[in-house]
Amino acid sequence: MTLQEERHVLVVYPHPDDEAFSVAGTVRMYRNMAVPVTYACLTLGEMGRNLGNPPFATRESLPDIRRQELVAACAAMGIEDLRMMGLRDKTIEFEDDEKMVKLVTNLIEELNPSVIYTFFPGFAVHPDHEATARAVIEAVRRMPKEARPRILAVAFANDTVEKIGEAPIVVDIRSVKDDKIKALQAHASQTAWMMAETEKRIDDGEVLSDSWLNVEKFYPFTFED
Amino acid sequence: MKEVNTQELQELLNSFANKDVFIHLETTNGSYAAHYDEKFFNAGAFIRNVKLRYELGKIVDDAPHRVGLKLEHGWVYAQGITHFKLDTEGRLLMAGLDYTGKLAVALEISETPFAY
Ligand SMILES: [Zn+2]
């Protein structure tokens, strides 16, 4: 499908690299259409496990490395409005729920987005992903129906297709595949091993058909009322 | 961080004994462990910036190492420590990195609080 024009796109994810895996191609396409995009990244992935052996970072130096990676990934995606929200990795579900809703509400009131990209609650695997999705959905639910932005959500739990079916929205990102690769590569502390593996498969002539480098898939989140 | 040198690390542990220090202690399998293996029972624990004072800190020379801190009323220990570093802010950072370079355990000791 082709992307429609948007007033403003808001992307809300908890970890640097969530956006690269989930929406990098889609965001790059919006930016190529001159649609404004804001990325609110809630943490700096402070609790990332991959420090290397021999290690390239410590538990205490990792956040700085990931901040730089996030800035570089945003450059690859063309995101000019990056908000680092200052929460700590793996603690979002323990924050006050109202505070989290308020955080999202404030962003919506400031930016007036026509669509929000986030995770799909119940199918987002990581507790931070789930807590982020819950906050976004609750913030939007509280808005008057006619004022609500659309929510396009990423789901990747093992039981996703079984429970909610195939994703109805499939964005063809082949035209910006190189930019998605650059965004993923920018998060080297998280993706270096995986990217090397992928390059090897491409070198070996394996065709990654219908893979995560060709399409990005989303589920619209709809409300009962 | 470099691989544990027992003698050097023991001296560093001694240098923080009998002082008020802030502790970071973490064990983890990663939040995706049960996603990749649904039979995996994922458990871990995390404390950060808990202030305490230990009278004896000891590293056992059996790699991967165990580090224990004896407190007036209790204990702190970490199992699986492979690497350590005294960072530029004078904090003792210890970590257990598995064979793929992923952190499995961390124990850190500082006289000043760690960032948030
Ligand atoms: Zn994530």
Side-chain angles (χ1 to χ4, degrees):
Chain A
M1 64 161 270
T2 50
L3 291 176
Q4 67 186 73
E5 275 291 335
E6 299 291 348
R7 186 170 59 233
H8 197 120
V9 173
L10 174 60
V11 177
V12 187
Y13 287 121
H15 308 126
D17 81 356
D18 289 335
E19 85 298 336
F21 285 105
S22 300
V23 294
T26 304
V27 162
R28 183 70 252 185
M29 288 163 71
Y30 280 128
R31 294 301 298 131
N32 291 349
M33 294 158 63
V35 171
V37 176
T38 297
Y39 176 25
C41 187
L42 304 192
T43 82
L44 289 174
E46 291 87 355
M47 300 294 275
R49 294 185 67 214
N50 192 34
L51 300 182
N53 198 346
F56 61 83
T58 69
R59 175 51 80 239
E60 302 306 319
S61 69
L62 186 65
D64 238 5
I65 292 171
R66 295 196 69 176
R67 177 189 291 116
Q68 290 166 32
E69 291 175 347
L70 176 59
V71 168
C74 284
M77 292 178 285
I79 294 177
E80 289 169 5
D81 187 17
L82 165 64
R83 313 282 180 96
M84 292 181 258
M85 306 306 286
L87 299 175
R88 188 175 178 92
D89 194 8
K90 294 180 82 167
T91 66
I92 294 176
E93 64 184 332
F94 305 118
E95 289 279 4
D96 176 50
D97 293 332
E98 280 303 312
K99 172 187 154 176
M100 293 307 304
V101 173
K102 185 91 175 89
L103 179 151
V104 179
T105 299
N106 288 347
L107 287 165
I108 293 173
E109 284 175 356
E110 179 198 338
L111 302 164
N112 189 22
S114 47
V115 63
I116 302 179
Y117 285 84
T118 190
F119 285 114
F120 199 101
F123 299 92
V125 181
H126 191 298
D128 285 338
H129 298 177
E130 294 288 344
T132 302
R134 283 197 299 272
V136 169
I137 277 148
E138 181 57 19
V140 173
R141 191 190 63 77
R142 290 181 188 182
M143 298 172 69
K145 197 179 170 205
E146 58 286 352
R148 288 175 187 155
R150 288 159 23 253
I151 297 173
L152 295 181
V154 168
F156 67 102
N158 294 330
D159 61 352
T160 300
V161 172
E162 176 196 332
K163 299 270 173 60
I164 57 173
E166 294 286 351
I169 297 178
V170 179
V171 179
D172 182 341
I173 59 159
R174 280 175 297 180
S175 66
V176 293
K177 185 193 272 189
D178 290 348
D179 296 306
K180 172 144 184 155
I181 291 172
K182 274 187 211 145
L184 286 162
Q185 283 171 335
H187 293 291
S189 71
Q190 306 304 300
T191 58
W193 179 85
M194 184 200 75
M195 295 309 287
E197 211 33 35
T198 305
E199 274 158 30
K200 183 173 174 300
R201 281 161 68 187
I202 293 169
D203 286 348
D204 291 349
E206 256 186 77
V207 182
L208 301 169
S209 64
D210 197 26
S211 76
W212 48 278
L213 283 178
N214 294 329
V215 292
E216 288 170 351
K217 300 178 180 183
F218 306 102
Y219 293 81
F221 188 93
T222 50
F223 294 92
E224 298 293 318
D225 62 340
Chain B
M1 284 186 293
K2 61 181 183 183
E3 283 185 30
V4 167
N5 170 316
T6 312
Q7 193 188 337
E8 199 179 330
L9 183 48
Q10 182 61 60
E11 284 167 15
L12 287 167
L13 287 168
N14 295 348
S15 74
F16 287 92
N18 299 308
K19 291 176 180 170
D20 284 339
V21 290
F22 293 88
I23 297 287
H24 168 116
L25 176 65
E26 166 189 4
T27 73
T28 177
N29 300 301
S31 295
Y32 293 102
H35 176 64
Y36 294 121
D37 175 3
E38 292 183 358
K39 294 275 193 295
F40 194 91
F41 183 86
N42 203 359
F46 172 57
I47 63 171
R48 186 166 173 86
N49 281 335
V50 170
K51 196 163 145 188
L52 54 77
R53 181 182 274 254
Y54 63 88
E55 58 198 46
L56 178 66
K58 192 192 272 190
I59 170 145
V60 177
D61 192 13
D62 175 20
H65 299 272
R66 295 177 297 281
V67 174
L69 310 177
K70 184 173 173 58
L71 322 182
E72 187 188 357
H73 296 293
W75 292 92
V76 171
Y77 75 79
Q79 178 171 6
I81 298 291
T82 58
H83 289 74
F84 79 111
K85 175 182 194 166
L86 189 72
D87 79 356
T88 53
E89 294 175 54
R91 306 177 294 193
L92 176 55
L93 312 181
M94 293 168 277
L97 303 172
D98 71 13
Y99 308 109
T100 66
K102 287 194 163 53
L103 182 141
V105 60
L107 174 58
E108 305 179 343
I109 303 170
S110 171
E111 289 189 58
T112 54
F114 295 97
Y116 63 102

